[in-house]
Amino acid sequence: MIRINENFLKLRAGYLFPEIGRRVRTFKEQNPRAKVISMGIGDVTQPLAPAVIEAMHRAVDEMGRAETFKGYDDAGVGYEFLRKPIVENDYKARGADIGIDEVFISDGAKPDTGNMQEIFGTDNVVAVADPVYPVYVDTNVMAGRTGQANQIGQYEGVVYMPATAENGFVPEPPDRPVDMIYLCFPNNPTGSVATKDQLARWVAYARKNKALILFDAAYEAFISEPDVPHSIYEIEGARDVAIEFRSFSKTAGFTGVRCAYCVVPRTLKAWRKDGQAVEVAPVWKRRHCTKFNGVSYISQAGAAAVYTPQGKKQIAQTIGIYMTNAKLIRERLTELGYQVYGGVNAPYIWLKTPDGLGSWEFFDRLLNEAHVVGTPGVGFGPAGEGYFRLTAFGTLANVREALDRFASL
Ligand SMILES: *Cc1c(COP(=O)(O)O)cnc(C)c1O
């Protein structure tokens, strides 16, 4: 008799985006003429940079000739032509000491943040922010690292750290030991960033408790303020306690191309039951190369072009388009009396719902009266109740129109 893995049955049904879809469909059926503007999805809309397209075209041509054809990417960890500019531009240029052999190319930061937990014991205590990117939690539920969910959707055994207006949406380390800490800065959904001092407190906590920080920096490219750290490795001592995740998805519009990477430093250790230290990087490499056969050569060639002078200029322009949207949203909503957060170093605006409305009540009001779709904050966790996420990934024309409709609410 084939038995199901019952950990998967603990997962709360994918509730948020299907429910949004259901409500939008119902609205459109009842209002076929309404032009609905979406500020809800976390997907990019601008096309790939010309430098990326040229590099990918060249790579396709190489694949078409026997002399330049590429099969499996040797070790499955990525080509050096990509790992080298990553190390130079994303780490060395920021004073972070990371080596080429510590970079693992993958098909996404979602798979990486989801898969990484596999190489750590199932008895580790997991800590996440509330609200949170659901992947961190759900993959630990699947692995059996939690109990059941309660009525508000929180799993037994997980330590939830509220990210609130009071702490600037950057939780402090908990007052008790935890083992696996997921941090995401710039943050999805709140748009917050952590300062160097705040990250330093996390690194100190992890060193003291022999804990691991899983640092998701998928939105690093959106940082605009000079003092904000771009990498956890800008913090002294982080090499011994942190794994970092990056992605070309939001940086360069690769959501449909697929290319990302994670950094697992050689100095990072985890412990066996008998107290003996084990190097983490070789274990991750073993897992990665056993279950994954590398990212397409064409995608990696495109990703490498992001680091050329042309590529850098072009992706900065695209990010500029999104961040102009973010600035408009932030400024106009502030003028209209909304309390808004984020949108400065991230493409997300996190707003306090007006008139004490719940997240879903505001969703319905915005949809019915302004024909604008956003994401209810409570969908990312109970501390998100009374908040609402807007994304800056739309077109300028749509953003302007949506804001005019906010004004007439
Ligand atoms: C979009 C996003 C990612 C990127 O995922 P990919 O699999 O690389 O497309 C990672 N983390 C967060 C928090 C995100 O919002």
Side-chain angles (χ1 to χ4, degrees), residues 42 107-111 113 133 136 184 186 188 216 218-219 246-250 254-255 258-260 348 389:
D107 59 345
K110 183 176 187 171
T113 52
Y133 181 58
Y136 315 146
C184 175
N188 177 9
D216 185 347
Y219 294 95
R246 295 271 189 111
S247 172
F248 296 96
S249 283
K250 316 300 163 40
F254 272 46
T255 51
R258 312 306 303 151
C259 195
Y348 295 114
R389 191 190 75 172

Side-chain angles (χ1 to χ4, degrees), residues 139-189:
T139 52
N140 278 294
V141 174
M142 292 172 184
R145 224 168 261 115
T146 77
Q148 300 288 342
N150 63 16
Q151 309 92 297
I152 57 171
Q154 295 193 320
Y155 293 90
E156 191 194 335
V158 175
V159 174
Y160 290 90
M161 307 178 291
T164 61
E166 288 70 44
N167 61 24
F169 305 99
V170 181
E172 287 294 319
D175 50 16
R176 58 146 164 144
V178 296
D179 308 303
M180 293 165 66
I181 302 145
Y182 289 84
L183 296 179
C184 175
F185 295 112
N187 188 258
N188 177 9

